[in-house]
Amino acid sequence: MELLKQPPTTKGPAEWFTGDVWFDVIHRGEDPSRSRANMVRFAPGARTAWHSHGLGQTLLIVEGVALIQSRGGRLIEAHPGDIIWTPPGEEHWHGAAPGHFMTHLALWEGDDTAWLEHVTDADYTATPAATRQAL
């Protein structure tokens, strides 16, 4: 067993995010492992650009209110304790709802994230199709 030194918090690059986003690398597997885990914190209104993961991605909402959407799909509102799975290659985005901070744990494998265009304000401000109380 080994106590690992945590790398410093990193500001999310403007090419990948709209608004203020910070992430902490929790785990970056060394060969042969491809596993990745980041704790990602979004300021109100901040969000990822459209992107996809070659082997999929799992998000665990830790705090706040999240908005998540797959390309062509409904906008989903998620709350602490909700788990979201995005299949391999599915284009999607996720971020904080207006007026709320949001933190999620992101789990994925490999370095083959394909970053695409930024999410438009019209897509971001659409009314979520699924809204419910926090668990």
Side-chain angles (χ1 to χ4, degrees):
M1 185 180 305
E2 176 183 2
L3 180 61
L4 300 174
K5 181 179 178 189
Q6 182 177 5
T9 299
T10 302
K11 177 90 164 80
E15 298 82 24
W16 298 350
F17 299 97
T18 297
D20 292 326
V21 177
W22 297 267
F23 58 89
D24 289 296
V25 175
I26 294 171
H27 178 73
R28 182 175 175 81
E30 301 286 333
D31 280 337
S33 173
R34 298 179 299 186
S35 63
R36 307 283 188 262
N38 284 357
M39 189 68 71
V40 188
R41 294 169 179 85
F42 294 78
R47 57 203 182 259
T48 68
W50 288 100
H51 64 286
S52 66
H53 302 274
L55 295 172
Q57 181 184 49
T58 300
L59 303 175
L60 168 64
I61 307 306
V62 175
E63 64 181 357
V65 179
L67 297 177
I68 302 114
Q69 184 178 33
S70 291
R71 181 91 64 186
R74 62 191 172 103
L75 183 62
I76 297 170
E77 181 177 297
H79 298 267
D82 287 343
I83 299 170
I84 298 92
W85 162 246
T86 303
E90 184 170 277
E91 294 177 2
H92 66 286
W93 66 269
H94 35 96
H100 298 275
F101 284 90
M102 187 272 290
T103 302
H104 67 51
L105 176 63
L107 306 166
W108 75 102
E109 293 185 74
D111 288 326
D112 56 352
T113 301
W115 290 99
L116 306 165
E117 77 275 11
H118 283 275
V119 173
T120 66
D121 288 341
D123 283 341
Y124 174 74
T125 58
T127 302
T131 305
R132 60 178 182 71
Q133 296 297 315
L135 298 174

